[in-house]
């Protein structure tokens, strides 16, 4: 057997990698432990969220699956942060877990270029500098031009419930053993991380009258740019809170927590903390908010979002029963924590290819990230680049001002991570530009140029952008007279003013502008784009100018043979790091863990000082 | 192995003083100095920070140039943090020049402007703010600006800046928290927003106050300015000379004598004040006089105090009344002097100034040096010349520029009501400005512009 692209792992990273590589008519193999569980959501039954929703839209614009799948199998949609500016909106949907998984499988299987193989991969073989083949637990060897690794939380996975622990890739599934060792033998270093999940509740035992209902949006926004059908909410989420009794139970049982008894040593996600962490780190805070989310339409199982825990089962029961509405609730599956191997992503190129082994790509949780969207985003990029390599074509890299996926991969490959990495809007210095409304304009042309998007679809989207441009230029030309404006809402004008200038004002809505100029309002999507474009224009320019300045600085070369010992004002520790790494640019220097921007400032000045000295000594200045 | 060049320069004032000081800094400092001194061993053996007496001999020339004293400093216990030598010679420019030239022959190179301080900064001996304060200390002309610069040198204002930074950081954290976790936990929005906006507002007020203080302190950059104005021939130049106590301006019985503005510094109660004599204001066809009058008008606009001179023996003209009216309307402090009381009683003229403008009568020609005249002027200048010590974070135009930009960002932030991401945008900019202020993130250009203002040898 020989394939162009072999993807190991049927999680969210693996799915996208296999799917996108198949778009280039390559022979693709998806190897996974259990075919029925391809597309399984290991943790919560939701896709999207703030910053994460943008990633889903970016995946979609690059030709990925996730957006279309969630539009098809979502049962509750809500645009988060819609009370704030459009730059920080984030779409989030509850999925019907089972239908989502089945739907993904159906979509993949409809793609005839993708073959499937069930089993555990236990080793990798290289030939020369490049990957050569994979070895299955059955002993079967599969030749591969390129390989994408996406084993998620499975590598030497160890689950914890209370003080008892058992091997598993996630609860109910076996771990993947042997593969880490084989990868380490290629000279790639591994580390260990931890994450956790809350207990699932039997919905039939919940008293909803004591909880607050959270409805979806009246008019849901789709994730995918291809979705044309109207989305419908078919379920409700419920909000409740922990209380002082809950917190007391946690405090009383910390000695039985694997996290606090010292049994688990690896770091967990700082931003998806367990309830133990929340109570210890943030205190009572008048209760921590919990969401009770349906796992699907055909099941009574519900996900208790916010109560991730690895306390023993009996304590979990007490915890749950201390919460309003859950007094009689029964746990269906206990919460647990899992420890697993990951590979420090500093060992990767910005294409997600290994620096050590050619044609070997890493994607998803094994790169130290957390979350379906983060995994899927890497999957698309790794898949595209594996395909490009297999075809001998140039790869795709996304920069920090092009996409959240660019920010994600840049952070991972230049700074590395010591804890499960989750995306935030604040990680993007171009937050105002990397909005969820304009993902297609940012990324679709790139994917199209490389052949991952159909011509028909590209043309269709171009029409939308052209319409937007026409409207923008119309607004830039059209004046509004004070008579037509004043008294139609807050803020007045004294002289005729351009519509685009008026729309810049925070309090002015696009609807009011179009009423004043008596023009037909474009559809909701176009309106959002126009408004965001105009309102953020000035800010984005400043953001970009600042970034360009930084970029220029970062790219400044450190002269060959520069003596870091001579740099006074650096800690000895920092000097040692520079001497060991010999960075060639300031950016490379900054990417060394533990090096601060202040160190870079000092370094930069010293480099300039040396150049200055050269100038001075050439001059013959009299007194 | 890169070698840092050793620099040498004259560090003391240029014009004939009793002594001159030459500074040498860098790895070659000790051996370059030793090569130029007669008792080489004694110099080599001498303990750092002790004074020795030597003869300076230029290399290749056995003649003794001058008797000097020399002190060694061992790195890092020196101003620059490098090995240093300070040589004290007699204050002849020729000798100093020859000594420095001798050092150049021994491997030293000329120091660039502010290079000693720059090295001190680069070697972590002083912070950027301290380096600036060194310059302010040298340049300060008033007690207040000196006091302020000293506080700055001791790092006195850094805590305030750090506090601003801390507060901005907290505001940013809250904003980001509210953006990222809006649906989770207790980010009850309305409450947070009100609190944040109050905080932003408080900072705005504080920065505004600092900027205002700066305009009260007439220190390094600009003195308190007093303009002497009036119609021609009333005795403006006479008053100017009288206050200076020497014949600076031409005094002549012909009207229109002073054509250009003349300024000099006088000290009122130890405060330097710039005194400006101007061309008399009148309607004229003379082109040169016209230009002079335009200059007078410009001077009035930027003066801190105007002295309007009139003479007792002339009839009040409409012109004079208009001048006074305009100045009062522009809100510029004004006092009046009625001159030539030897010729006529000042009573008739008193009406010109009215009740709002305090005035004083003199006869400059017959009764010179009247101490009461000084007191009169001082009395009305004093409220405007800040006397009470007001410490201000803002020491120079760089600081003021950053503070004003900071204020702009905060004003932007405060105007936003709903878009937290835009508020965060402004706050991030503000944080960068503070880092710039503190010198923690500095660019090459900023450093250059700071150290360019220094003199050579500093
Ligand atoms: C207990 C738990 C808690 C979590 N908590 C959170 C959370 O709080 N917040 C959050 O954002 N995310 C959380 N997640 C993470 C989220 O599930 C992952 O980020 C996401 O699923 C990662 O996608 P992936 O494609 O990298 O890997 P996975 O979805 O884990 O998929 C890995 C796939 O690889 C297959 N596989 C593994 N090894 C082999 C092998 N050797 N041979 C063949 N196939 C193999 C597996 O069968 C599986 O199909 C949690 C996951 C778990 C298990
Ligand atoms: N009698 C008398 N003459 C005075 C007195 N003060 C000045 N003068 C004379 O007045 C004439 C003009 O004096 P200036 O000081 O040149 O007057 P000015 O206001 O500077 O005049 P312009 O420069 O022409 O505007 C000179 O001849 C002075 O000697 C005074 O107190 N009494
Ligand atoms: Mg005169």
């Amino acid at each position: 057997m020989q394939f162009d692209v072999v993807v190991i792992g049927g999680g969210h990273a693996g799915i996208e990698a296999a799917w996108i590589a198949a778009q280039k008519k390559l022979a693709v193999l998806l190897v996974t432990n259990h075919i029925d569980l391809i597309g399984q959501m290991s943790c919560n039954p939701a896709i999207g969220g703030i910053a994460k929703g943008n990633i889903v839209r970016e995946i979609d614009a690059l030709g990925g699956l996730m957006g279309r799948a969630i539009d098809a199998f979502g049962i509750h949609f809500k645009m988060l942060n819609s009370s704030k500016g459009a730059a920080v909106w984030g779409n989030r949907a509850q999925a019907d877990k089972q239908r989502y998984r089945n739907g993904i499988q159906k979509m993949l299987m409809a793609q005839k270029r993708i073959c499937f193989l069930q089993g555990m991969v236990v080793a990798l073989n290289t030939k020369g500098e490049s990957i050569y083949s994979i070895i299955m637990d059955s002993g079967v060897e599969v030749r591969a031009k390129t390989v994408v690794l996406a084993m998620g939380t499975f590598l030497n996975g160890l689950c914890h419930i209370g003080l008892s622990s058992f091997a598993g890739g996630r609860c109910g599934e076996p771990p993947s053993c042997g593969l880490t060792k084989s990868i380490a033998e290629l000279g790639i270093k591994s580390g260990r991380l931890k994450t956790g999940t809350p207990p699932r509740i039997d919905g039939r035992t919940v008293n909803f009258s004591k909880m607050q209902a959270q409805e979806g949006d009246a008019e849901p926004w789709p994730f995918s740019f291809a979705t044309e059908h109207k989305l419908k909410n078919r379920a409700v989420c419920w909000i409740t809170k922990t209380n002082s009794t809950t917190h007391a139970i946690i405090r009383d049982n910390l000695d039985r927590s694997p996290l606090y008894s010292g049994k688990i040593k690896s770091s967990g996600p700082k931003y998806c903390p367990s309830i133990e962490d929340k109570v210890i780190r943030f205190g009572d805070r008048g209760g921590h908010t919990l969401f009770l989310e349906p796992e699907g339409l055909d099941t009574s199982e519900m996900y208790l979002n916010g109560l991730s825990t690895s306390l023993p089962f009996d304590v979990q029961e007490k915890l749950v029963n201390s919460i309003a509405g859950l007094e009689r609730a029964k746990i269906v599956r206990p919460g647990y924590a899992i420890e697993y191997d990951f590979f420090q992503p500093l060992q990767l190129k910005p294409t997600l290819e290994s620096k050590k082994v050619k044609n070997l790509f890493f994607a998803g949780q094994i790169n130290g990230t957390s979350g379906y969207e983060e995994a899927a985003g890497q999957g698309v990029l790794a898949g595209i680049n594996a395909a490009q390599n297999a075809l001998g074509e140039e790869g795709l890299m996304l920069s920090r001002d092009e996409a959240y996926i660019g920010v994600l991969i840049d952070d991972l490959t230049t700074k590395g991570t010591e804890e499960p990495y989750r995306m935030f809007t604040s990680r993007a210095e171009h937050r105002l530009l990397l909005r969820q409304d304009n993902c297609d304009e940012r990324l679709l042309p790139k994917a199209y140029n490389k052949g991952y998007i159909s011509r028909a679809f590209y043309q269709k989207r171009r029409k939308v952008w052209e319409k937007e441009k026409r409207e923008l230029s119309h607004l830039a030309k059209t004046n509004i007279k004070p008579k037509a404006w004043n008294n139609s809402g807050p803020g007045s004008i004294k002289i005729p003013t351009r519509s685009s200038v008026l729309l810049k004002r925070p309090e002015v809505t696009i609807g009011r502008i179009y009423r004043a100029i008596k023009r037909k309002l474009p559809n909701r999507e176009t309106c959002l784009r126009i408004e965001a474009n105009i309102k953020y224009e000035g800010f984005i320019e400043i953001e970009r100018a600042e970034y360009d300045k930084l970029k220029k600085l970062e790219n400044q070369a450190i002269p060959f043979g520069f003596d870091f010992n001579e740099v006074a004002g650096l800690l000895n520790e920092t000097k040692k790091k520079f001497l060991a790494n010999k960075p060639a640019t300031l950016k490379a220097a900054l990417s060394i863990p533990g090096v601060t921007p202040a160190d870079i400032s000092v370094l930069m000045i010293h480099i300039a000082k040396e150049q200055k000295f050269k100038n001075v000594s050439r001059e013959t200045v009299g007194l | 192995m890169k070698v840092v060049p050793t620099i040498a320069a004259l560090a003391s004032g240029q014009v004939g003083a009793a002594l001159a000081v030459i500074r040498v800094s860098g790895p070659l400092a000790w051996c370059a100095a030793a090569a130029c001194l007669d008792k080489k061993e004694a110099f080599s053996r001498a303990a750092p920070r002790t004074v020795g007496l030597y003869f300076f001999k230029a290399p290749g020339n056995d003649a003794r140039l001058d008797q000097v004293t020399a002190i060694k400093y061992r790195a890092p216990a020196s101003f620059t943090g490098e090995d240093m030598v300070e040589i004290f010679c007699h204050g002849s420019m020729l000798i100093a020049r020859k000594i420095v030239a001798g050092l150049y022959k021994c491997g030293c190179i000329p120091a660039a402007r502010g290079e000693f301080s720059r090295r001190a900064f680069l070697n972590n001996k002083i912070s950027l703010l301290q380096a600036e304060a060194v310059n302010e200390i040298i340049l300060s002309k008033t007690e207040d600006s000196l006091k302020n610069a000293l506080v700055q040198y001791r790092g006195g204002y850094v805590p305030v800046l750090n506090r601003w930074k801390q507060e901005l950081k907290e505001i940013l954290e809250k904003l980001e928290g509210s953006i990222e976790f809006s649906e989770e936990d207790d980010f009850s929005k309305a409450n947070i927003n009100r609190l944040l906006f109050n905080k932003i507002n408080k900072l705005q007020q504080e920065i505004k106050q600092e900027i205002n203080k700066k305009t009260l302190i007439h220190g390094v950059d600009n003195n308190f300015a007093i303009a002497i104005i009036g119609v021609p021939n009333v005795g403006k130049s006479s008053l100017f000379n009288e206050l200076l106590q020497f014949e600076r301006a031409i005094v002549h019985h012909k009207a229109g004598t002073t054509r250009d503005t003349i300024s000099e510094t006088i000290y009122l109660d130890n405060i330097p004040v710039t005194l400006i004599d101007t061309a008399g204001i009148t309607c004229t066809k003379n082109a040169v006089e016209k230009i002079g009058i335009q200059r007078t008008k410009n001077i009035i606009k930027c003066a801190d105090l105007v002295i309007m001179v009139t003479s007792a023996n002339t009839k009040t003209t409409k012109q004079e009344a208009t001048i006074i009216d305009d100045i009062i309307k522009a809100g510029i402090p004004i006092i009046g002097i009625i001159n030539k009381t030897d010729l006529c009683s000042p009573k008739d003229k008193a009406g010109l100034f009215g009740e709002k403008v305090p005035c004083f009568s003199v006869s400059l020609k017959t009764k010179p040096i009247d101490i009461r005249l000084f007191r009169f002027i001082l009395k009305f200048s004093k409220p405007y010349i800040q006397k009470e010590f007001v410490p201000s974070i803002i020491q120079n135009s760089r600081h003021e520029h950053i503070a004003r930009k900071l204020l702009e960002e905060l004003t932007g932030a405060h105007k936003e009501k709903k878009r937290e991401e835009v508020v965060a945008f402004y706050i991030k900019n503000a944080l960068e400005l503070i880092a710039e202020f503190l010198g923690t993130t500095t660019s090459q250009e900023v450093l250059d512009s700071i150290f360019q203002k220094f003199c050579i040898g500093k």
Side-chain angles (χ1 to χ4, degrees):
Chain A
M1 277 196 287
Q2 171 160 8
F3 289 89
D4 296 312
V5 179
V6 170
V7 178
I8 306 176
H12 306 282
I15 296 163
E16 299 289 350
W19 168 264
I20 201 79
Q23 306 305 311
K24 290 287 275 238
K25 311 216 178 335
L26 294 170
V28 178
L29 176 70
L30 178 59
V31 189
T32 190
N33 169 46
H34 199 321
I35 302 264
D36 297 351
L37 295 180
I38 290 175
Q40 171 78 331
M41 300 171 114
S42 325
C43 192
N44 60 335
I47 299 264
I50 295 153
K52 286 169 175 259
N54 300 36
I55 297 182
V56 179
R57 300 268 281 170
E58 290 180 356
I59 292 167
D60 188 69
L62 289 169
L65 274 182
M66 188 175 252
R68 269 188 269 168
I70 186 63
D71 282 348
F73 308 109
I75 53 176
H76 177 277
F77 298 85
K78 196 166 162 36
M79 185 63 88
L80 305 183
N81 269 349
S82 56
S83 67
K84 297 175 186 150
V88 291
W89 287 16
N91 208 359
R92 184 176 191 274
Q94 294 300 136
D96 181 317
K97 239 178 183 175
Q98 195 182 335
R99 291 186 192 189
Y100 184 89
R101 189 178 66 211
N102 293 341
I104 287 270
Q105 289 171 17
K106 204 167 153 189
M107 287 160 118
L108 286 173
M109 286 172 184
Q111 174 50 264
K112 61 179 187 302
R113 300 268 165 188
I114 305 177
C115 298
F116 299 85
L117 180 63
Q118 179 163 309
M120 278 286 189
V121 176
V122 291
L124 302 180
N125 280 329
T126 55
K127 196 168 197 175
E129 293 184 316
S130 176
I131 192 75
Y132 180 74
S133 66
I134 62 166
I135 309 287
M136 308 288 298
D137 47 2
S138 58
V140 172
E141 179 175 10
V142 182
R143 287 274 316 275
K145 268 197 194 163
T146 64
V147 169
V148 178
L149 300 177
M151 290 82 67
T153 52
F154 282 68
L155 296 175
N156 294 322
L158 188 63
C159 303
H160 299 264
I161 300 179
L163 297 181
S164 59
S165 53
F166 50 94
R170 64 194 160 204
C171 238
E173 286 176 70
S176 164
C177 301
L179 191 50
T180 304
K181 191 163 158 271
S182 167
I183 294 170
E185 278 163 12
L186 299 174
I188 296 164
K189 288 191 200 87
S190 73
R192 202 123 170 101
L193 290 174
K194 167 240 138 185
T195 187
T197 193
R200 312 298 196 271
I201 307 296
D202 186 339
R204 295 169 304 177
T205 60
V206 176
N207 179 359
F208 294 108
S209 67
K210 287 198 170 171
M211 297 183 176
Q212 186 194 332
Q214 189 198 35
E215 307 275 352
D217 287 338
E219 268 185 83
W221 291 84
F223 282 85
S224 171
F225 292 98
T227 298
E228 277 170 355
H229 69 271
K230 245 194 148 75
L231 303 180
K232 247 175 68 191
N233 291 307
R234 303 166 73 182
V236 181
C237 294
W238 301 90
I239 303 175
T240 182
K241 254 182 175 196
T242 61
N243 52 50
S244 50
T245 316
T246 324
H247 302 163
I249 297 171
I250 291 168
R251 290 201 179 93
D252 289 345
N253 287 285
L254 279 182
D255 55 332
R256 296 173 68 202
S257 149
L259 289 176
Y260 284 89
S261 66
K263 195 154 183 255
I264 296 181
K265 292 205 176 66
S266 38
S267 13
K270 199 195 287 166
Y271 305 105
C272 303
S274 63
I275 190 70
E276 294 93 298
D277 279 338
K278 284 194 214 172
V279 170
I280 301 307
R281 283 197 352 231
F282 308 125
D284 284 359
R285 275 199 173 177
H288 296 275
T289 307
L290 302 175
F291 297 83
L292 194 62
E293 304 167 347
E295 291 238 331
L297 299 175
D298 308 323
T299 174
S300 63
E301 206 175 326
M302 296 186 88
Y303 179 90
L304 189 48
N305 191 347
L307 204 81
S308 171
T309 179
S310 53
L311 285 162
F313 188 70
D314 61 304
V315 183
Q316 291 190 23
E317 278 185 314
K318 272 196 218 137
L319 269 187
V320 167
N321 292 338
S322 74
I323 293 162
L326 300 177
E327 293 85 351
R328 287 155 187 276
K330 289 264 183 301
I331 293 178
V332 185
R333 304 184 208 211
Y336 66 96
I338 183 165
E339 284 187 285
Y340 55 93
D341 295 337
F342 82 110
F343 302 93
Q344 189 53 262
L346 284 170
Q347 305 173 91
L348 300 176
K349 299 179 187 169
T351 52
L352 294 180
E353 189 182 11
S354 161
K355 287 179 181 168
K356 275 256 159 65
V357 181
K358 265 199 190 140
N359 299 320
L360 179 63
F361 294 81
F362 287 69
Q365 194 112 357
I366 55 165
N367 283 339
T369 61
S370 152
Y372 307 140
E373 305 78 5
E374 287 85 346
Q378 295 170 64
V380 177
L381 213 88
I384 290 179
N385 284 315
Q388 294 295 100
N389 269 19
L391 290 164
E393 288 173 14
E394 201 192 330
L396 177 70
M397 285 180 261
L398 298 175
S399 59
R400 300 186 73 93
D401 56 345
E402 283 172 338
Y404 272 95
I405 299 177
V407 174
L408 170 71
I409 294 177
D410 187 63
D411 277 348
L412 292 175
T413 57
T414 65
K415 295 191 197 119
T417 185
E418 302 297 334
E419 63 184 31
Y421 179 107
R422 169 182 167 180
M423 185 47 78
F424 291 109
T425 67
S426 52
R427 295 199 196 264
E429 39 289 89
H430 298 283
R431 169 162 71 190
L432 304 182
L433 176 65
L434 303 185
R435 301 187 307 269
Q436 59 94 34
D437 60 85
N438 62 9
C439 294
D440 59 335
E441 273 176 283
R442 288 190 270 121
L443 300 175
L444 202 74
K446 283 178 183 289
Y448 172 70
N449 287 337
K450 291 223 182 294
Y452 293 89
I453 299 281
S454 78
R455 192 177 161 75
F457 185 63
Y458 181 66
Q459 296 297 7
K460 205 167 168 186
R461 290 312 296 175
R462 261 187 52 181
K463 290 220 180 78
V464 176
W465 309 334
E466 275 157 15
K467 164 83 175 156
E468 177 193 340
K469 280 208 193 82
R470 276 199 306 278
E471 294 299 317
L472 280 171
S473 72
H474 183 81
L475 293 181
K477 283 191 307 231
T478 313
N479 276 341
I480 297 180
K481 294 209 183 86
K483 222 170 70 198
W485 183 256
N486 299 345
N487 305 324
S488 68
S492 61
I493 50 176
K494 291 201 178 70
I495 49 166
T497 309
R498 256 179 297 144
S499 333
S500 54
V501 171
L502 269 175
L503 189 49
K504 268 198 194 320
R505 298 187 181 177
E507 75 279 4
V508 172
T509 61
I510 188 162
R512 187 175 165 204
I513 297 275
Y514 274 75
R515 275 197 300 280
I517 61 174
K518 298 203 169 67
R519 189 178 171 88
K520 186 171 173 276
L521 199 63
N523 68 19
R524 183 170 70 147
E525 188 197 357
T526 307
C527 278
L528 179 65
R529 286 163 176 267
I530 293 171
E531 202 167 350
N533 247 318
I534 291 184
K535 285 208 153 71
Y536 289 116
E537 206 177 22
F539 299 108
I540 290 171
E541 268 164 36
I542 298 173
E543 248 179 23
R544 186 171 288 282
E546 284 293 315
Y547 180 71
D548 289 346
K549 236 172 44 194
L550 194 81
K551 200 85 183 201
K552 212 175 102 197
L553 190 139
E554 281 181 342
N555 292 334
Q556 189 180 332
I558 299 174
F560 182 73
F562 180 80
D563 191 350
F564 293 100
N565 269 320
E566 287 290 311
V567 183
L570 282 182
L571 291 175
N572 276 335
E573 210 182 291
T574 314
K575 277 189 196 169
K576 269 189 210 143
K577 281 182 187 157
F578 285 149
L579 287 166
N581 287 284
K582 297 199 180 64
T585 61
L586 289 180
K587 183 177 173 136
L590 185 58
S591 71
I592 299 169
V595 172
T596 66
D599 294 331
I600 296 303
S601 235
V602 173
L603 200 57
M604 171 191 83
I605 290 161
H606 272 264
I607 293 167
K609 175 172 117 173
E610 278 207 346
Q611 281 154 359
K612 189 131 218 146
F613 284 158
K614 276 181 214 140
N615 296 340
V616 170
S617 50
R618 257 186 266 114
E619 278 168 9
T620 41
V621 189
L623 186 66
Chain B
M1 181 62 195
K2 286 243 158 54
V3 179
V4 178
T6 300
I7 48 172
L10 178 66
S12 58
Q14 302 265 331
V15 203
L19 290 175
V21 185
I22 289 114
R23 254 187 181 167
V24 194
S25 177
L28 290 180
W30 290 15
C31 76
C36 300
L37 298 174
D38 59 341
K39 291 179 286 177
K40 294 181 178 33
E41 280 94 274
F43 180 75
S44 307
R45 265 185 279 112
R49 299 186 174 209
T50 56
V51 186
L53 191 64
Y54 308 92
F55 276 104
F56 192 96
K57 290 179 180 176
N61 180 351
D62 222 30
R64 292 170 165 188
L65 181 62
D66 188 20
Q67 190 167 37
V68 300
T69 55
I71 308 171
K72 297 196 295 194
Y73 298 87
R74 191 198 300 280
S78 73
F79 175 70
T80 59
E82 303 171 331
D83 280 347
M84 279 187 78
V85 176
E86 279 171 4
I87 298 171
F88 299 77
C89 65
H90 290 105
S92 141
M93 272 308 106
L94 186 63
I95 293 176
R97 227 180 255 253
K98 285 194 165 182
I99 289 180
V100 174
L103 290 165
Y104 291 166
K105 275 196 190 148
C106 298
C108 300
I109 62 163
R113 278 179 166 269
E115 190 162 357
F116 290 95
S117 308
R118 190 189 189 113
R119 287 187 178 198
F121 166 69
L122 290 173
N123 292 330
N124 244 358
K125 296 294 288 186
I126 50 172
S127 71
L128 193 66
L129 283 178
Q130 279 177 318
E132 280 185 315
V134 169
N135 207 31
E136 309 304 343
I137 288 171
I138 296 169
L139 295 180
S140 51
K141 290 191 215 140
T142 68
E143 249 172 85
D144 287 347
S145 54
L146 178 62
K147 247 192 223 166
N148 230 352
L150 286 169
V151 176
Q152 178 97 304
Y153 185 72
R154 289 191 298 263
Y157 300 123
V158 173
V160 179
L161 288 164
N162 278 337
R163 180 168 55 77
W164 290 358
K165 186 166 98 184
Q166 197 48 43
E167 278 173 24
L168 286 170
K169 262 193 177 159
E170 277 164 23
I171 292 171
L172 188 61
E173 265 162 36
K174 288 258 163 57
L175 282 167
E176 296 295 359
S178 160
I179 290 170
E180 311 285 3
F181 304 104
S182 65
E183 316 292 310
E184 290 168 34
D185 280 339
D186 15 55
F187 287 101
S188 42
K189 286 147 231 167
N191 237 341
I192 280 198
N193 277 349
R194 207 173 319 118
L195 261 163
L196 285 189
F197 282 110
N198 285 345
K199 270 193 175 167
I200 294 174
N201 190 250
K202 231 190 85 216
L203 270 177
Q204 252 177 306
Q205 298 312 326
E206 230 183 294
I207 294 166
K208 236 185 242 164
Q209 263 175 26
E210 291 298 329
I211 295 174
N212 287 342
K213 273 188 214 163
K214 154 75 183 176
T215 48
L216 290 178
I217 297 178
H218 292 275
V220 179
D221 295 348
N222 44 350
N223 284 340
F224 188 80
I226 301 178
I228 302 174
I229 65 153
V231 295
N233 213 31
V234 289
K236 299 183 294 296
S237 300
S238 306
L239 176 65
F240 183 65
N241 290 345
E242 185 64 30
L243 291 172
L244 283 180
Q245 310 265 298
F246 76 98
E247 296 296 305
R248 173 68 180 82
I250 301 168
V251 169
H252 198 271
H253 58 80
K254 220 177 116 194
T257 304
T258 309
R259 287 284 168 92
D260 205 349
T261 55
I262 310 172
S263 56
E264 282 291 336
T265 304
I266 61 167
Y267 281 82
L268 287 178
D269 220 17
N270 285 334
I271 300 156
V273 168
T274 304
L275 199 63
I276 308 159
D277 185 21
T278 62
I281 300 169
T282 180
C283 292
T284 176
K285 288 210 171 74
N286 182 310
V288 180
E289 213 175 345
K290 260 190 185 164
I291 297 171
I293 291 166
Q294 190 51 50
R295 288 200 178 172
T296 305
K297 287 182 178 159
N298 293 344
I299 289 285
I300 293 173
K301 270 187 232 146
C302 50
D304 297 297
L305 176 75
V306 168
I307 299 180
M308 169 81 181
V309 183
T310 185
S311 78
N313 68 330
T314 54
K315 275 228 176 77
T316 301
T317 60
K318 200 160 176 219
Q319 176 118 37
E320 285 186 304
T322 323
I323 296 172
I324 296 172
D325 268 0
D326 287 351
I327 292 172
I328 293 175
K329 260 187 222 147
I332 301 162
I334 176 170
I335 56 179
I337 300 271
I338 305 171
N339 187 25
K340 307 197 187 179
T341 48
D342 54 313
L343 299 179
C344 201
S345 152
K347 266 188 207 134
D348 298 348
K349 261 302 168 73
L352 170 66
F353 291 109
E355 273 167 18
K356 280 188 221 136
V357 182
C359 65
F360 191 83
S361 308
V362 287
S363 166
L364 292 169
K365 195 168 181 180
T366 57
K367 280 193 241 151
I369 312 181
D370 189 334
I371 188 73
R372 288 179 308 140
L373 173 61
F374 274 99
R375 282 205 201 116
F376 174 74
I377 294 175
L378 185 60
K379 183 176 157 201
F380 290 98
S381 324
K382 221 167 171 175
Y384 303 107
I385 309 174
Q386 189 62 39
K387 273 303 289 176
E388 229 171 292
F389 177 55
V390 184
S392 167
I393 289 184
I394 293 158
Q395 300 266 310
N396 55 36
S397 47
R398 181 184 83 93
H399 299 169
E400 190 179 347
H401 180 69
I402 295 181
R404 286 193 189 279
K405 282 212 296 196
L406 199 54
L407 196 58
E408 259 172 47
E409 299 294 345
L410 292 183
T411 310
H414 197 254
K415 266 198 209 137
E416 279 291 335
K417 290 284 170 290
K418 242 175 82 183
R419 297 183 296 179
E420 286 173 3
E421 73 283 7
V422 175
V423 182
F425 169 90
Y426 285 117
I427 301 292
K428 269 188 265 177
N429 289 348
L431 268 166
E432 258 158 46
L433 286 169
I434 292 200
E436 219 178 282
F437 201 135
L438 280 166
T440 41
T441 58
T442 30
S443 71
Q444 195 53 39
E445 297 96 78
V446 171
L447 279 189
D448 281 344
S449 82
I450 289 171
F451 289 102
Q452 279 306 312
K453 291 198 196 96
F454 284 45
C455 47
I456 288 177
K458 186 62 241 166

